[in-house]
Amino acid sequence: MGNNLVKQNIINYYNQEATNRDTKERDGWKTDERNRFLNLVTGEGCKTLLELGPGPGYDSKYFMDNGLIVTAVDISIEMVRACRDKGVDAYE
């Protein structure tokens, strides 16, 4: 029972924070990391990406815009909605 309560608390938190996280300014260092990762996976010939815990989907959208087929999975339905609003194929 305790694990279910913890899980529900996490879901509630991220559902409540979805709008805030979707509108918050992005950290600059993440851009470099994202570019490095994109170069790595495309250099290996990868065409698809499964993103677990994508939050509002900014990284997923970036990878989509750069040619990858992205599927995103998040525990928060509000984060999934934010992803879908960006055109990301996202699931709870």
Side-chain angles (χ1 to χ4, degrees):
M1 175 98 174
N3 286 338
N4 288 336
L5 180 59
V6 170
K7 180 180 175 182
Q8 192 57 53
N9 285 340
I10 291 169
I11 292 168
N12 291 342
Y13 173 79
Y14 283 105
N15 281 341
Q16 291 170 359
E17 285 292 310
T19 300
N20 184 40
R21 287 175 178 255
D22 198 17
T23 57
K24 133 181 171 179
E25 187 174 327
R26 308 289 161 257
D27 294 330
W29 65 269
K30 290 184 180 182
T31 302
D32 292 338
E33 291 301 315
R34 208 169 45 183
N35 289 335
R36 262 193 286 275
F37 182 74
L38 178 64
N39 289 333
L40 174 71
V41 297
T42 56
E44 292 290 322
C46 297
K47 306 266 187 250
T48 61
L49 175 69
L50 173 62
E51 185 171 12
L52 303 176
Y58 282 100
D59 293 333
S60 295
K61 174 80 169 119
Y62 170 82
F63 293 122
M64 282 175 44
D65 290 346
N66 284 279
L68 294 176
I69 299 166
V70 177
T71 302
V73 178
D74 202 288
I75 196 169
S76 162
I77 190 61
E78 295 303 322
M79 294 296 187
V80 169
R81 283 188 184 114
C83 288
R84 289 178 180 169
D85 287 348
K86 293 172 187 66
V88 175
D89 186 24
Y91 301 89
E92 183 180 13

